[in-house]
Amino acid sequence: MKINRIKLNPFAGVTDKEVLFQDGMNVIVGENEKGKSTILNAILKLLFVRTDLTTGKFKKQFERFIPIGGDFAYAEIDFAIDGKIYTLKKKWGANKFSELTLNDNTKIGDEDTIENKLNQILPFNEATFTKV
């Protein structure tokens, strides 16, 4: 899997941030509290956390990523797997939203279908992502 781009607006303490990744290894460096961990958390949430969470699961898994004074968090990611390009967009909180655009520009908006498709195409699961 190759991540090409991630956009956060807003997500945790980050607003209107877009990061473009190059071929090869990319390293994110910076001072404390500049958003390095937020980018990693956004990738994790995009790939593995549904937007249709129950109130309890939302509070446990996502509440800290809603900006202070806000009612939602939004992120999107472009990635490639085996030469196929995908775009995943998610909005958690108020007016939740999910959309996966496939390589052929087909758009999927149903959470179950998105989750099933990601399970099929991702070369790793959440445990691998968080532990490796």
Side-chain angles (χ1 to χ4, degrees), residues 54-107:
T54 64
T55 302
K57 285 183 181 180
F58 178 81
K59 199 171 190 99
K60 182 179 179 183
Q61 283 206 29
F62 218 87
E63 191 173 56
R64 69 184 187 123
F65 298 107
I66 302 295
I68 295 171
D71 61 356
F72 73 93
Y74 176 85
E76 60 185 67
I77 188 170
D78 296 338
F79 60 95
I81 298 174
D82 296 329
K84 295 180 180 175
I85 307 295
Y86 301 89
T87 299
L88 179 60
K89 301 176 182 180
K90 289 188 178 181
K91 180 180 176 185
W92 298 266
N95 303 312
K96 55 190 159 230
F97 166 82
S98 293
E99 181 181 83
L100 176 63
T101 304
L102 305 178
N103 191 58
D104 65 0
N105 287 321
T106 300
K107 295 185 186 308

Side-chain angles (χ1 to χ4, degrees), residues 21-35:
F21 296 92
Q22 305 299 316
D23 287 338
M25 183 183 294
N26 290 255
V27 179
I28 299 172
V29 296
E31 297 176 22
N32 290 341
E33 300 301 318
K34 294 297 182 185

